[in-house]
Amino acid sequence: MAELVFFSGTMDCGKSTLALQMDHNNSARGRRGLIFTKLDRMGESVLSSRLGLSTPAIEVGDELDFWEVVVECLTQGGRVDYVICDEAQFYTPAQVEQLARLVDELGIDVHAFGITADFRTELFPGSRRLIELADRVQLLQVEALCWCGRKATHNARIVDGAMVVEGEQVVVGDTGGESAGVVEYEVLCRRHYMRRMNSHAARAASPSPDTLPFDLDVCAVPPRP
């Protein structure tokens, strides 16, 4: 039976690596699939992993219709046994519904990969719809770590070294910036996310390069706005 499966986790937990591995495993068994992604760190039309692996992919714009793309491929004599969708948190709810239709009406396996919540701890619209419609939501077992060594559970946006909790939901980091400064992303445990204590702030508060401020007095809870 075909399934719509949402593989979810924080940044740095190996989602894109698993997507690449899944494509390799399927193609090695003679199955044919389509790979989609959106706003990959390496640019358009590529699915890439932080480990350095990559493969060509179809770039997903807001107007792309998954049903139309797959049906056109089939009517032209192509085969589509599976679909891999990376960065699925950026897809629109309507596009997620199109993926579900591929499973239900064409019997095509759909494997979607993405983070669940943004830097404000709010669900992405695409992720919310995937949670609502997926046959399975599978949390990845590879744990990303906070700078303190605890399990990372939250994605933080860092602008010029400082953690921010306001701004547009989608701003691509790693390779670009915005008018307010250079944008990066970092995974944090809940404790240090709530205290706005990213690794830059931890180093600045540390009395020496070999000591990080784990105590509550240094990692004070920021006042409510």
Side-chain angles (χ1 to χ4, degrees):
M1 294 289 290
E3 285 187 309
L4 170 58
V5 184
F6 181 32
F7 296 89
S8 184
T10 63
M11 297 180 301
D12 298 336
C13 72
K15 297 182 300 300
S16 297
T17 301
L18 179 58
L20 289 164
Q21 182 68 52
M22 188 167 290
D23 176 58
H24 170 77
N25 291 349
N26 277 274
S27 61
R29 294 296 179 264
R31 304 188 79 209
R32 297 181 184 177
L34 295 176
I35 301 175
F36 297 87
T37 191
K38 184 174 185 178
L39 300 176
D40 188 273
R41 66 184 67 83
M42 286 187 62
E44 289 190 3
S45 303
V46 62
L47 189 166
S48 68
S49 164
R50 294 183 189 275
L51 296 182
L53 305 173
S54 65
T55 191
I58 300 171
E59 185 72 16
V60 178
D62 288 346
E63 302 305 316
L64 183 141
D65 188 311
F66 287 101
W67 177 264
E68 291 182 356
V69 171
V70 172
V71 169
E72 181 179 1
C73 180
L74 294 174
T75 56
Q76 292 180 353
R79 261 181 59 195
V80 181
D81 300 309
Y82 64 93
V83 170
I84 289 177
C85 298
D86 199 29
E87 306 293 355
Q89 72 272 9
F90 297 136
Y91 299 178
T92 67
Q95 288 173 327
V96 173
E97 293 170 10
Q98 294 158 15
L99 294 175
R101 186 183 178 192
L102 293 177
V103 176
D104 296 338
E105 299 190 25
L106 297 180
I108 294 173
D109 286 312
V110 175
H111 311 291
F113 300 80
I115 60 178
T116 305
D118 64 15
F119 71 105
R120 301 166 299 187
T121 68
E122 297 178 6
L123 291 175
F124 283 97
S127 299
R128 179 186 296 111
R129 198 67 180 129
L130 276 164
I131 292 170
E132 293 167 346
L133 294 181
D135 296 294
R136 287 188 292 124
V137 177
Q138 187 165 325
L139 296 179
L140 298 193
Q141 297 303 307
V142 177
E143 293 186 354
L145 299 178
C146 178
W147 59 264
C148 69
R150 292 187 179 93
K151 177 182 176 181
T153 54
H154 292 70
N155 304 298
R157 178 181 293 173
I158 314 300
V159 178
D160 287 340
M163 180 179 160
V164 298
V165 293
E166 295 181 351
E168 297 181 7
Q169 186 174 54
V170 179
V171 175
V172 179
D174 289 342
T175 58
E178 59 181 7
S179 58
V182 176
V183 178
E184 303 171 288
Y185 289 91
E186 182 177 355
V187 289
L188 300 174
C189 65
R190 184 179 63 239
R191 176 178 180 236
H192 287 120
Y193 177 89
M194 297 298 289
R195 297 175 186 282
R196 313 292 188 256
M197 180 62 71
N198 64 307
S199 59
H200 292 276
R203 293 190 192 99
S206 175
S208 76
D210 298 322
T211 305
L212 290 177
F214 297 104
D215 60 287
L216 296 182
D217 292 333
V218 176
C219 299
V221 177
R224 287 184 174 274

mmCIF file of all heavy atoms in Angstrom, residues 98-134:
data_model
loop_
_atom_site.group_PDB
_atom_site.id
_atom_site.type_symbol
_atom_site.label_atom_id
_atom_site.label_comp_id
_atom_site.label_asym_id
_atom_site.label_seq_id
_atom_site.Cartn_x
_atom_site.Cartn_y
_atom_site.Cartn_z
ATOM 1 N N GLN A 98 -2.142 17.860 -2.670
ATOM 2 C CA GLN A 98 -1.822 17.230 -3.959
ATOM 3 C C GLN A 98 -0.963 15.988 -3.750
ATOM 4 O O GLN A 98 -1.150 14.969 -4.433
ATOM 5 C CB GLN A 98 -1.100 18.231 -4.853
ATOM 6 C CG GLN A 98 -1.949 19.419 -5.283
ATOM 7 C CD GLN A 98 -1.114 20.621 -5.702
ATOM 8 O OE1 GLN A 98 0.089 20.500 -5.931
ATOM 9 N NE2 GLN A 98 -1.752 21.772 -5.802
ATOM 10 N N LEU A 99 -0.038 16.041 -2.814
ATOM 11 C CA LEU A 99 0.789 14.868 -2.510
ATOM 12 C C LEU A 99 -0.070 13.727 -1.983
ATOM 13 O O LEU A 99 0.133 12.560 -2.352
ATOM 14 C CB LEU A 99 1.868 15.248 -1.494
ATOM 15 C CG LEU A 99 2.934 16.241 -1.957
ATOM 16 C CD1 LEU A 99 3.860 16.612 -0.797
ATOM 17 C CD2 LEU A 99 3.745 15.678 -3.120
ATOM 18 N N ALA A 100 -1.008 14.047 -1.121
ATOM 19 C CA ALA A 100 -1.908 13.016 -0.600
ATOM 20 C C ALA A 100 -2.740 12.395 -1.722
ATOM 21 O O ALA A 100 -2.996 11.187 -1.729
ATOM 22 C CB ALA A 100 -2.821 13.617 0.468
ATOM 23 N N ARG A 101 -3.115 13.200 -2.690
ATOM 24 C CA ARG A 101 -3.894 12.697 -3.827
ATOM 25 C C ARG A 101 -3.071 11.722 -4.668
ATOM 26 O O ARG A 101 -3.609 10.726 -5.177
ATOM 27 C CB ARG A 101 -4.373 13.871 -4.680
ATOM 28 C CG ARG A 101 -5.317 13.474 -5.801
ATOM 29 C CD ARG A 101 -5.708 14.669 -6.652
ATOM 30 N NE ARG A 101 -6.585 14.278 -7.749
ATOM 31 C CZ ARG A 101 -6.907 15.066 -8.780
ATOM 32 N NH1 ARG A 101 -6.412 16.317 -8.822
ATOM 33 N NH2 ARG A 101 -7.690 14.625 -9.748
ATOM 34 N N LEU A 102 -1.774 11.991 -4.819
ATOM 35 C CA LEU A 102 -0.899 11.072 -5.556
ATOM 36 C C LEU A 102 -0.902 9.684 -4.915
ATOM 37 O O LEU A 102 -0.907 8.659 -5.602
ATOM 38 C CB LEU A 102 0.527 11.617 -5.597
ATOM 39 C CG LEU A 102 0.780 12.887 -6.397
ATOM 40 C CD1 LEU A 102 2.239 13.316 -6.260
ATOM 41 C CD2 LEU A 102 0.422 12.700 -7.868
ATOM 42 N N VAL A 103 -0.899 9.676 -3.589
ATOM 43 C CA VAL A 103 -0.918 8.402 -2.860
ATOM 44 C C VAL A 103 -2.255 7.698 -3.045
ATOM 45 O O VAL A 103 -2.314 6.510 -3.388
ATOM 46 C CB VAL A 103 -0.640 8.641 -1.356
ATOM 47 C CG1 VAL A 103 -0.763 7.337 -0.581
ATOM 48 C CG2 VAL A 103 0.738 9.246 -1.158
ATOM 49 N N ASP A 104 -3.337 8.434 -2.823
ATOM 50 C CA ASP A 104 -4.666 7.820 -2.796
ATOM 51 C C ASP A 104 -5.168 7.393 -4.170
ATOM 52 O O ASP A 104 -5.817 6.352 -4.307
ATOM 53 C CB ASP A 104 -5.668 8.794 -2.174
ATOM 54 C CG ASP A 104 -5.358 9.101 -0.725
ATOM 55 O OD1 ASP A 104 -4.668 8.287 -0.085
ATOM 56 O OD2 ASP A 104 -5.798 10.159 -0.231
ATOM 57 N N GLU A 105 -4.882 8.187 -5.205
ATOM 58 C CA GLU A 105 -5.472 7.921 -6.512
ATOM 59 C C GLU A 105 -4.517 7.253 -7.497
ATOM 60 O O GLU A 105 -4.968 6.609 -8.447
ATOM 61 C CB GLU A 105 -6.019 9.223 -7.105
ATOM 62 C CG GLU A 105 -7.112 9.853 -6.256
ATOM 63 C CD GLU A 105 -7.814 11.001 -6.950
ATOM 64 O OE1 GLU A 105 -7.827 11.025 -8.195
ATOM 65 O OE2 GLU A 105 -8.346 11.878 -6.252
ATOM 66 N N LEU A 106 -3.206 7.402 -7.287
ATOM 67 C CA LEU A 106 -2.241 6.811 -8.209
ATOM 68 C C LEU A 106 -1.386 5.732 -7.565
ATOM 69 O O LEU A 106 -0.610 5.075 -8.255
ATOM 70 C CB LEU A 106 -1.348 7.903 -8.809
ATOM 71 C CG LEU A 106 -2.049 8.960 -9.667
ATOM 72 C CD1 LEU A 106 -1.040 9.975 -10.186
ATOM 73 C CD2 LEU A 106 -2.794 8.307 -10.836
ATOM 74 N N GLY A 107 -1.500 5.568 -6.268
ATOM 75 C CA GLY A 107 -0.735 4.534 -5.579
ATOM 76 C C GLY A 107 0.762 4.788 -5.568
ATOM 77 O O GLY A 107 1.560 3.849 -5.577
ATOM 78 N N ILE A 108 1.152 6.052 -5.520
ATOM 79 C CA ILE A 108 2.566 6.430 -5.522
ATOM 80 C C ILE A 108 3.006 6.743 -4.096
ATOM 81 O O ILE A 108 2.345 7.509 -3.381
ATOM 82 C CB ILE A 108 2.796 7.659 -6.427
ATOM 83 C CG1 ILE A 108 2.506 7.288 -7.889
ATOM 84 C CG2 ILE A 108 4.211 8.190 -6.294
ATOM 85 C CD1 ILE A 108 2.541 8.468 -8.842
ATOM 86 N N ASP A 109 4.126 6.167 -3.679
ATOM 87 C CA ASP A 109 4.668 6.476 -2.352
ATOM 88 C C ASP A 109 5.224 7.894 -2.335
ATOM 89 O O ASP A 109 5.974 8.292 -3.236
ATOM 90 C CB ASP A 109 5.793 5.502 -1.991
ATOM 91 C CG ASP A 109 5.272 4.121 -1.626
ATOM 92 O OD1 ASP A 109 4.339 4.051 -0.815
ATOM 93 O OD2 ASP A 109 5.807 3.128 -2.157
ATOM 94 N N VAL A 110 4.880 8.635 -1.298
ATOM 95 C CA VAL A 110 5.401 9.998 -1.133
ATOM 96 C C VAL A 110 6.138 10.071 0.197
ATOM 97 O O VAL A 110 5.569 9.801 1.254
ATOM 98 C CB VAL A 110 4.273 11.048 -1.174
ATOM 99 C CG1 VAL A 110 4.840 12.438 -0.874
ATOM 100 C CG2 VAL A 110 3.571 11.029 -2.527
ATOM 101 N N HIS A 111 7.416 10.448 0.126
ATOM 102 C CA HIS A 111 8.257 10.610 1.306
ATOM 103 C C HIS A 111 8.596 12.090 1.438
ATOM 104 O O HIS A 111 9.331 12.636 0.616
ATOM 105 C CB HIS A 111 9.529 9.783 1.183
ATOM 106 C CG HIS A 111 9.300 8.361 0.775
ATOM 107 N ND1 HIS A 111 8.693 7.438 1.602
ATOM 108 C CD2 HIS A 111 9.575 7.705 -0.379
ATOM 109 C CE1 HIS A 111 8.621 6.273 0.985
ATOM 110 N NE2 HIS A 111 9.144 6.408 -0.229
ATOM 111 N N ALA A 112 8.049 12.741 2.452
ATOM 112 C CA ALA A 112 8.275 14.171 2.664
ATOM 113 C C ALA A 112 9.207 14.366 3.858
ATOM 114 O O ALA A 112 9.075 13.681 4.878
ATOM 115 C CB ALA A 112 6.951 14.888 2.907
ATOM 116 N N PHE A 113 10.121 15.307 3.719
ATOM 117 C CA PHE A 113 11.113 15.578 4.754
ATOM 118 C C PHE A 113 11.084 17.069 5.096
ATOM 119 O O PHE A 113 11.094 17.918 4.201
ATOM 120 C CB PHE A 113 12.516 15.197 4.272
ATOM 121 C CG PHE A 113 12.674 13.755 3.908
ATOM 122 C CD1 PHE A 113 12.232 13.280 2.674
ATOM 123 C CD2 PHE A 113 13.254 12.860 4.791
ATOM 124 C CE1 PHE A 113 12.371 11.944 2.327
ATOM 125 C CE2 PHE A 113 13.392 11.523 4.452
ATOM 126 C CZ PHE A 113 12.947 11.065 3.225
ATOM 127 N N GLY A 114 11.070 17.383 6.394
ATOM 128 C CA GLY A 114 11.076 18.793 6.766
ATOM 129 C C GLY A 114 11.072 19.001 8.259
ATOM 130 O O GLY A 114 10.843 18.066 9.033
ATOM 131 N N ILE A 115 11.334 20.231 8.658
ATOM 132 C CA ILE A 115 11.244 20.594 10.062
ATOM 133 C C ILE A 115 9.793 20.963 10.381
ATOM 134 O O ILE A 115 9.022 21.319 9.488
ATOM 135 C CB ILE A 115 12.199 21.737 10.432
ATOM 136 C CG1 ILE A 115 11.889 22.999 9.620
ATOM 137 C CG2 ILE A 115 13.641 21.320 10.214
ATOM 138 C CD1 ILE A 115 12.773 24.181 9.971
ATOM 139 N N THR A 116 9.428 20.837 11.625
ATOM 140 C CA THR A 116 8.039 21.061 12.007
ATOM 141 C C THR A 116 7.754 22.525 12.336
ATOM 142 O O THR A 116 6.823 23.118 11.807
ATOM 143 C CB THR A 116 7.676 20.192 13.224
ATOM 144 O OG1 THR A 116 7.962 18.826 12.932
ATOM 145 C CG2 THR A 116 6.200 20.324 13.553
ATOM 146 N N ALA A 117 8.576 23.111 13.209
ATOM 147 C CA ALA A 117 8.308 24.459 13.703
ATOM 148 C C ALA A 117 9.414 25.422 13.298
ATOM 149 O O ALA A 117 10.563 25.032 13.088
ATOM 150 C CB ALA A 117 8.161 24.446 15.219
ATOM 151 N N ASP A 118 9.060 26.695 13.205
ATOM 152 C CA ASP A 118 10.013 27.718 12.805
ATOM 153 C C ASP A 118 10.775 28.273 14.008
ATOM 154 O O ASP A 118 10.676 27.747 15.129
ATOM 155 C CB ASP A 118 9.306 28.837 12.041
ATOM 156 C CG ASP A 118 8.293 29.596 12.904
ATOM 157 O OD1 ASP A 118 8.318 29.466 14.151
ATOM 158 O OD2 ASP A 118 7.469 30.337 12.335
ATOM 159 N N PHE A 119 11.512 29.354 13.807
ATOM 160 C CA PHE A 119 12.343 29.929 14.865
ATOM 161 C C PHE A 119 11.526 30.564 15.978
ATOM 162 O O PHE A 119 12.059 30.888 17.037
ATOM 163 C CB PHE A 119 13.305 30.970 14.262
ATOM 164 C CG PHE A 119 12.625 32.240 13.808
ATOM 165 C CD1 PHE A 119 12.740 33.404 14.546
ATOM 166 C CD2 PHE A 119 11.871 32.275 12.647
ATOM 167 C CE1 PHE A 119 12.123 34.575 14.144
ATOM 168 C CE2 PHE A 119 11.258 33.445 12.223
ATOM 169 C CZ PHE A 119 11.378 34.596 12.974
ATOM 170 N N ARG A 120 10.217 30.726 15.741
ATOM 171 C CA ARG A 120 9.322 31.263 16.773
ATOM 172 C C ARG A 120 8.577 30.148 17.493
ATOM 173 O O ARG A 120 7.685 30.420 18.293
ATOM 174 C CB ARG A 120 8.311 32.219 16.133
ATOM 175 C CG ARG A 120 8.937 33.399 15.408
ATOM 176 C CD ARG A 120 7.946 34.103 14.529
ATOM 177 N NE ARG A 120 7.402 33.222 13.487
ATOM 178 C CZ ARG A 120 6.605 33.645 12.504
ATOM 179 N NH1 ARG A 120 6.256 34.910 12.435
ATOM 180 N NH2 ARG A 120 6.153 32.778 11.612
ATOM 181 N N THR A 121 8.907 28.901 17.194
ATOM 182 C CA THR A 121 8.253 27.679 17.692
ATOM 183 C C THR A 121 6.825 27.557 17.168
ATOM 184 O O THR A 121 5.993 26.883 17.780
ATOM 185 C CB THR A 121 8.253 27.572 19.233
ATOM 186 O OG1 THR A 121 7.409 28.577 19.793
ATOM 187 C CG2 THR A 121 9.667 27.711 19.787
ATOM 188 N N GLU A 122 6.523 28.176 16.031
ATOM 189 C CA GLU A 122 5.215 28.067 15.402
ATOM 190 C C GLU A 122 5.302 27.096 14.223
ATOM 191 O O GLU A 122 6.299 27.088 13.495
ATOM 192 C CB GLU A 122 4.734 29.436 14.922
ATOM 193 C CG GLU A 122 4.522 30.434 16.045
ATOM 194 C CD GLU A 122 4.082 31.799 15.534
ATOM 195 O OE1 GLU A 122 3.829 31.919 14.311
ATOM 196 O OE2 GLU A 122 3.996 32.734 16.341
ATOM 197 N N LEU A 123 4.257 26.298 14.029
ATOM 198 C CA LEU A 123 4.246 25.332 12.946
ATOM 199 C C LEU A 123 4.270 26.021 11.587
ATOM 200 O O LEU A 123 3.571 27.020 11.379
ATOM 201 C CB LEU A 123 3.007 24.446 13.026
ATOM 202 C CG LEU A 123 2.922 23.446 14.182
ATOM 203 C CD1 LEU A 123 1.554 22.753 14.151
ATOM 204 C CD2 LEU A 123 4.032 22.419 14.098
ATOM 205 N N PHE A 124 5.076 25.486 10.665
ATOM 206 C CA PHE A 124 4.991 25.915 9.282
ATOM 207 C C PHE A 124 3.665 25.422 8.714
ATOM 208 O O PHE A 124 3.211 24.318 9.046
ATOM 209 C CB PHE A 124 6.131 25.314 8.459
ATOM 210 C CG PHE A 124 7.460 25.972 8.652
ATOM 211 C CD1 PHE A 124 8.387 25.441 9.537
ATOM 212 C CD2 PHE A 124 7.802 27.114 7.934
ATOM 213 C CE1 PHE A 124 9.620 26.035 9.709
ATOM 214 C CE2 PHE A 124 9.035 27.714 8.093
ATOM 215 C CZ PHE A 124 9.954 27.181 8.985
ATOM 216 N N PRO A 125 3.009 26.195 7.831
ATOM 217 C CA PRO A 125 1.739 25.737 7.246
ATOM 218 C C PRO A 125 1.860 24.389 6.541
ATOM 219 O O PRO A 125 0.971 23.538 6.669
ATOM 220 C CB PRO A 125 1.392 26.862 6.258
ATOM 221 C CG PRO A 125 2.044 28.077 6.842
ATOM 222 C CD PRO A 125 3.331 27.585 7.442
ATOM 223 N N GLY A 126 2.946 24.177 5.796
ATOM 224 C CA GLY A 126 3.129 22.902 5.112
ATOM 225 C C GLY A 126 3.277 21.747 6.081
ATOM 226 O O GLY A 126 2.707 20.662 5.887
ATOM 227 N N SER A 127 4.038 21.960 7.147
ATOM 228 C CA SER A 127 4.227 20.912 8.156
ATOM 229 C C SER A 127 2.926 20.611 8.883
ATOM 230 O O SER A 127 2.621 19.447 9.171
ATOM 231 C CB SER A 127 5.304 21.346 9.156
ATOM 232 O OG SER A 127 6.544 21.547 8.512
ATOM 233 N N ARG A 128 2.170 21.643 9.178
ATOM 234 C CA ARG A 128 0.890 21.430 9.860
ATOM 235 C C ARG A 128 -0.028 20.547 9.014
ATOM 236 O O ARG A 128 -0.652 19.604 9.508
ATOM 237 C CB ARG A 128 0.201 22.764 10.139
ATOM 238 C CG ARG A 128 -1.157 22.623 10.836
ATOM 239 C CD ARG A 128 -1.888 23.932 10.965
ATOM 240 N NE ARG A 128 -1.168 24.861 11.804
ATOM 241 C CZ ARG A 128 -0.569 25.976 11.380
ATOM 242 N NH1 ARG A 128 -0.614 26.278 10.087
ATOM 243 N NH2 ARG A 128 0.056 26.776 12.205
ATOM 244 N N ARG A 129 -0.089 20.831 7.711
ATOM 245 C CA ARG A 129 -0.967 20.042 6.843
ATOM 246 C C ARG A 129 -0.447 18.623 6.687
ATOM 247 O O ARG A 129 -1.246 17.675 6.592
ATOM 248 C CB ARG A 129 -1.089 20.724 5.470
ATOM 249 C CG ARG A 129 -2.304 20.239 4.669
ATOM 250 C CD ARG A 129 -3.583 20.659 5.338
ATOM 251 N NE ARG A 129 -4.776 20.217 4.606
ATOM 252 C CZ ARG A 129 -5.775 19.557 5.173
ATOM 253 N NH1 ARG A 129 -5.726 19.246 6.464
ATOM 254 N NH2 ARG A 129 -6.824 19.227 4.463
ATOM 255 N N LEU A 130 0.859 18.453 6.671
ATOM 256 C CA LEU A 130 1.425 17.107 6.598
ATOM 257 C C LEU A 130 1.078 16.297 7.845
ATOM 258 O O LEU A 130 0.729 15.120 7.758
ATOM 259 C CB LEU A 130 2.938 17.186 6.421
ATOM 260 C CG LEU A 130 3.433 17.367 4.987
ATOM 261 C CD1 LEU A 130 4.881 17.812 4.962
ATOM 262 C CD2 LEU A 130 3.251 16.076 4.191
ATOM 263 N N ILE A 131 1.164 16.919 9.006
ATOM 264 C CA ILE A 131 0.803 16.232 10.247
ATOM 265 C C ILE A 131 -0.664 15.821 10.220
ATOM 266 O O ILE A 131 -1.045 14.749 10.694
ATOM 267 C CB ILE A 131 1.108 17.134 11.453
ATOM 268 C CG1 ILE A 131 2.629 17.321 11.603
ATOM 269 C CG2 ILE A 131 0.520 16.554 12.738
ATOM 270 C CD1 ILE A 131 3.028 18.363 12.611
ATOM 271 N N GLU A 132 -1.493 16.675 9.630
ATOM 272 C CA GLU A 132 -2.927 16.392 9.568
ATOM 273 C C GLU A 132 -3.270 15.271 8.577
ATOM 274 O O GLU A 132 -4.214 14.507 8.811
ATOM 275 C CB GLU A 132 -3.676 17.668 9.167
ATOM 276 C CG GLU A 132 -3.626 18.764 10.218
ATOM 277 C CD GLU A 132 -4.089 20.105 9.692
ATOM 278 O OE1 GLU A 132 -4.198 20.274 8.454
ATOM 279 O OE2 GLU A 132 -4.331 21.024 10.510
ATOM 280 N N LEU A 133 -2.492 15.151 7.484
ATOM 281 C CA LEU A 133 -2.869 14.235 6.414
ATOM 282 C C LEU A 133 -1.992 12.994 6.290
ATOM 283 O O LEU A 133 -2.407 12.005 5.680
ATOM 284 C CB LEU A 133 -2.849 14.969 5.064
ATOM 285 C CG LEU A 133 -3.882 16.081 4.863
ATOM 286 C CD1 LEU A 133 -3.734 16.677 3.463
ATOM 287 C CD2 LEU A 133 -5.299 15.557 5.059
ATOM 288 N N ALA A 134 -0.799 13.028 6.821
ATOM 289 C CA ALA A 134 0.141 11.926 6.595
ATOM 290 C C ALA A 134 -0.361 10.615 7.189
ATOM 291 O O ALA A 134 -1.015 10.586 8.239
ATOM 292 C CB ALA A 134 1.504 12.273 7.176
#
